[in-house]
Amino acid sequence: MKVIVPSLGLFVLSYYALIGSAAPALFSNRQTSADALNPYPNKRRIHFKDDGTFRLTVFSDLHFGENPWDDWGPEQDRKSLIVMNNMLDLEQPDFVAINGDLITGDNTFKENSTLLIDQLTSPLTQKNVPFASAYGNHDNHVNITHLQEIEREQLVAPTSYTRKAPDGVGGPGGEGNYWVPVYAKETDPAPSLVLWFFDSRSGWKLDSNNKIINIPDWIDDSVGKWLTSELAAMNEAWGPPETRAALAFVHVPFHIMESLQPTRDPIKEPGLDEDKLGIGSTQSTVDTSAWGSDRDKAFWTTLTSNVKNLHAVVSGHDHGNEWCSRDPATKQVLCFDKHTGYGGYGKPEWGHGVRTFDFSLATLTTSVQTWVTMENGTRIDEVTLNASYGV
């Protein structure tokens, strides 16, 4: 829907009415209709360095809070904190994405589940690194929810850019849908890069009979409508979308990745490939007898049809996979993260680490470098995601 903007004040009120949120109380007199879309008027702007580069590192599947009743669980959290601190020192990211399963809600106690957010965000707070989170299936359980984690993160982590979706967007258990603007220069009115965070829901909850049941395991249809509205507002305020780039994060991979696994070329598309994708590995594969299959397809179509220069859709969830591949139908690249945390399942030979993306303003809309850095500092599987990747 195209929005006519007769004045800045009306634009601001109209936009925040559109997303179902109250307008910020204060706007600088120097703001224009372009930067009025900035959802963080009271936080420092995320921007490229003076040399025209921007580095983003992904922490994935930290799984804090396992086995809190014995020594093993807290020891895994201690090791995970060491990995996080070492990776921050080694990669020196300008921004961090935490891509789901921050907590293993299956194991946590209701009275202190959210306190794990304080612990796992502490390296980012202490090193003053800005970050934002997506949420996973293990972040929804009877003692923890995505919404509770979002609210705790906003309360205790001053460098967090995580936001709650507008009311009515995402469905119960899927409140983590939002975007973060990245500017070429701190003073620019419009961003050059948009980081999208989508909530794949899934996990478990109690029904009215106190029975544990599954939560739908795909991005809710309401998110597609919200996405098209957000893009319309962006295009109206910032100009043609072809001038911007994007990167998207969602914890549980889209179902299309299952069909890519058997045909990917391990030479052209390198990376660990030890998790065979199947039921529970991708979206819309749990309880298909009740919910049907391919329920994620509608949002996948909306995303790939409307977000321009989307370099990759990045997921975690499957700890034994860390490759990137291109969907031949949409030409969209999808990537797995690297399992970061010592919590969660795995094998010693898989190791732990991070995936990093390096952007350059010179090639922002056409390519991005990405690689995996292992816990010992070794960089592996470095590739350039561009029009010829995987072809």
Side-chain angles (χ1 to χ4, degrees):
M1 179 181 70
K2 188 173 182 179
V3 180
I4 304 300
V5 186
S7 69
L8 170 60
L10 182 58
F11 177 87
V12 172
L13 293 174
S14 298
Y15 170 70
Y16 280 93
L18 180 66
I19 66 171
S21 176
L26 296 176
F27 279 88
S28 166
N29 290 332
R30 294 187 298 173
Q31 279 188 310
T32 67
S33 60
D35 60 36
L37 273 184
N38 178 14
Y40 307 99
N42 300 315
K43 296 180 79 73
R44 63 184 171 114
R45 286 188 167 197
I46 307 303
H47 60 90
F48 281 66
K49 294 188 285 289
D50 290 342
D51 65 359
T53 63
F54 180 80
R55 177 170 291 184
L56 184 150
T57 292
V58 189
F59 291 151
S60 186
D61 294 272
L62 295 169
H63 283 280
F64 272 68
E66 296 197 341
N67 289 35
W69 50 81
D70 60 26
D71 293 336
W72 181 88
E75 176 63 11
Q76 307 319 300
D77 295 347
R78 186 189 71 82
K79 290 179 179 179
S80 295
L81 287 171
I82 291 173
V83 175
M84 295 172 72
N85 276 295
N86 288 345
M87 291 296 100
L88 290 174
D89 291 341
L90 185 64
E91 299 292 87
Q92 292 290 304
D94 302 300
F95 196 85
V96 164
I98 306 180
N99 204 8
D101 281 359
L102 287 68
I103 292 171
T104 300
D106 324 36
N107 292 171
T108 57
F109 301 122
K110 194 174 188 66
E111 60 268 21
N112 64 0
S113 288
T114 59
L115 296 182
L116 293 164
I117 294 294
D118 307 36
Q119 184 180 9
L120 68 89
T121 60
S122 61
L124 297 153
T125 299
Q126 293 164 5
K127 296 179 185 293
N128 198 32
V129 178
F131 73 97
S133 301
Y135 298 91
N137 51 308
H138 288 282
D139 295 306
N140 269 333
H141 213 278
V142 296
N143 290 333
I144 194 70
T145 67
H146 290 188
L147 182 58
Q148 288 173 332
E149 291 192 28
I150 292 169
E151 292 174 342
R152 185 66 184 181
E153 194 176 302
Q154 292 176 328
L155 179 67
V156 303
T159 64
S160 170
Y161 284 70
T162 301
R163 293 188 284 136
K164 174 187 173 295
D167 291 344
V169 174
E175 294 84 0
N177 298 282
Y178 62 98
W179 51 271
V180 179
V182 181
Y183 299 84
K185 295 180 180 179
E186 188 174 10
T187 55
D188 284 353
S192 296
L193 173 67
V194 178
L195 307 175
W196 292 94
F197 291 80
F198 299 117
D199 197 322
S200 50
R201 300 187 292 173
S202 67
W204 303 265
K205 65 178 182 179
L206 291 178
D207 67 7
S208 58
N209 297 316
N210 282 330
K211 178 183 177 183
I212 296 178
I213 61 172
N214 291 317
I215 296 172
D217 61 329
W218 65 91
I219 298 172
D220 188 72
D221 291 347
S222 61
V223 182
K225 298 175 183 177
W226 167 81
L227 174 62
T228 55
S229 294
E230 295 293 278
L231 291 170
M234 291 174 178
N235 296 342
E236 181 72 28
W238 300 339
E242 289 78 12
T243 63
R244 297 182 293 278
L247 192 67
F249 298 93
V250 59
H251 178 69
V252 180
F254 285 97
H255 186 50
I256 187 65
M257 288 197 86
E258 184 175 339
S259 66
L260 301 181
Q261 187 174 39
T263 59
R264 59 174 282 272
D265 185 331
I267 303 300
K268 293 180 178 180
E269 302 172 331
L272 183 71
D273 186 18
E274 293 292 327
D275 254 345
K276 181 174 174 56
L277 301 179
I279 296 174
S281 300
T282 60
Q283 291 182 43
S284 191
T285 57
V286 174
D287 203 4
T288 55
S289 60
W291 293 328
S293 57
D294 291 328
R295 295 295 300 271
D296 64 326
K297 191 172 182 179
F299 182 76
W300 172 248
T301 300
T302 299
L303 176 67
T304 56
S305 300
N306 291 282
V307 178
K308 306 302 181 185
N309 302 324
L310 179 58
H311 287 300
V313 178
V314 189
S315 299
H317 190 59
D318 302 296
H319 301 179
N321 292 336
E322 57 191 53
W323 41 269
C324 298
S325 188
R326 185 185 301 277
D327 170 27
T330 62
K331 309 302 181 187
Q332 180 60 57
V333 172
L334 304 95
C335 289
F336 278 108
D337 300 318
K338 175 62 186 175
H339 183 200
T340 305
Y342 268 79
Y345 74 93
K347 296 180 180 179
E349 59 268 28
W350 293 356
H352 303 269
V354 295
R355 177 172 290 283
T356 291
F357 293 87
D358 244 12
F359 295 90
S360 170
L361 287 174
T363 58
L364 182 58
T365 60
T366 58
S367 69
V368 62
Q369 294 287 122
T370 186
W371 61 83
V372 167
T373 299
M374 301 298 290
E375 184 177 7
N376 63 8
T378 304
R379 182 184 291 190
I380 60 174
D381 303 332
E382 185 167 2
V383 297
T384 300
L385 302 181
N386 56 21
S388 62
Y389 178 75
V391 176

